Amino acid sequence: MPKLLIGTRNPGKVAEFRALLADLDIELVSLADLDLDLVVREVGATYQENAALKAKAYALASGLTALADDSGLEVDALDGAPGLYSSRYAPQVNPTDADRRAHLLKNLVEHPRPWPARFRCVVALATPGGDCRFSEGICPGEIIPEERGDFGFGYDPIFLVAGTGRTMAELPMDEKNRLSHRARAVKAAAPLLKRMCR
Ligand code: ITT
């Protein structure tokens, strides 16, 4: 069976990718499965650049086709922040998801509601030989000032998914995996996956 390395250190993303890719007849391998403790510095100026940095580094290190994503939350009232910096968005040195959510809400307090926002995900697929392809997915919604729900990770408890009346953290994984930015990007990448995995 062809193999694909899931190139993320975020356990929430690993679980989602495993479910999203389960039906593709591809053997999924995680960084933990390979004992690959590689930290890729995200020094790109776009989601695409950062996703490519991660996918290419993991493909080279493993000899396998690798999938990585760079994703973020874009809030209109904050001119698109935290965006590319979503995982680093908090004053703490090693922020928790709760730190990031608290920092976002603190910065939004002075802005009138509603707070429209979207999650964006750019997936990069890289082969060890240097080929790299991309796909993108968006999930629209709004930020709410209180946390709701226990599923998911990151900003999910304060992100109301458009058209559902529920936060991303109130959606069980199978529902999040029908609607999310990551689900849409992976769906768009399916034809590439079949071609690029060996
Ligand atoms: P990897 O780089 O190892 O994949 P990461 O968490 O650092 O892990 P990113 O650099 O892409 O990944 O940062 C994306 C951040 O955006 C992530 O840490 C969350 O804070 C947020 N985010 C992305 N997708 C999300 C989702 O589905 N639900 C909630 N928050 C999300």
Side-chain angles (χ1 to χ4, degrees):
M1 220 195 308
K3 284 190 183 177
L4 175 68
L5 177 64
I6 301 176
T8 175
R9 297 166 59 86
N10 178 324
K13 287 191 190 178
V14 175
E16 290 181 15
F17 279 128
R18 278 199 183 281
L20 287 167
L21 298 162
D23 294 334
L24 286 177
D25 286 331
I26 294 172
E27 182 182 339
L28 303 174
V29 181
S30 69
L31 298 176
D33 292 336
L34 298 185
D35 255 333
L36 200 57
D37 193 17
L38 178 66
V39 181
V40 182
R41 289 184 56 224
E42 299 186 30
V43 293
T46 61
Y47 294 101
Q48 189 163 328
E49 282 176 20
N50 282 337
L53 284 171
K54 291 186 262 190
K56 287 179 180 176
Y58 291 130
L60 264 186
S62 65
L64 297 174
T65 296
L67 174 153
D69 88 11
D70 201 49
S71 43
L73 176 67
E74 301 170 350
V75 184
D76 290 352
L78 301 176
D79 297 324
L84 203 62
Y85 303 99
S86 294
S87 69
R88 293 163 264 178
Y89 192 66
Q92 293 83 353
V93 178
N94 288 311
T96 64
D97 282 344
D99 293 334
R100 296 180 184 95
R101 294 192 296 269
H103 188 61
L104 181 70
L105 292 178
K106 183 172 125 295
N107 289 340
L108 273 173
V109 163
E110 67 193 64
H111 297 272
R113 282 185 71 192
W115 297 322
R118 73 206 53 77
F119 275 120
R120 187 183 302 273
C121 172
V122 174
V123 159
L125 269 175
T127 64
D131 192 12
C132 189
R133 306 290 163 109
F134 303 94
S135 67
E136 181 167 332
I138 286 171
C139 180
E142 71 174 274
I143 304 301
I144 55 167
E146 70 283 340
E147 307 214 341
R148 286 171 26 192
D150 300 312
F151 300 119
F153 67 94
Y155 299 92
D156 284 346
I158 55 170
F159 183 84
L160 198 63
V161 183
T164 69
R166 286 182 290 169
T167 68
M168 199 73 113
E170 291 176 311
L171 302 179
M173 197 200 285
D174 61 329
E175 271 189 73
K176 177 174 178 182
N177 278 352
R178 277 200 295 276
L179 300 171
S180 81
H181 48 311
R182 190 161 296 103
R184 289 173 172 153
V186 167
K187 200 168 177 201
L192 295 173
L193 276 161
K194 296 208 173 105
R195 264 210 320 276
M196 293 173 74
C197 293
R198 292 269 175 271

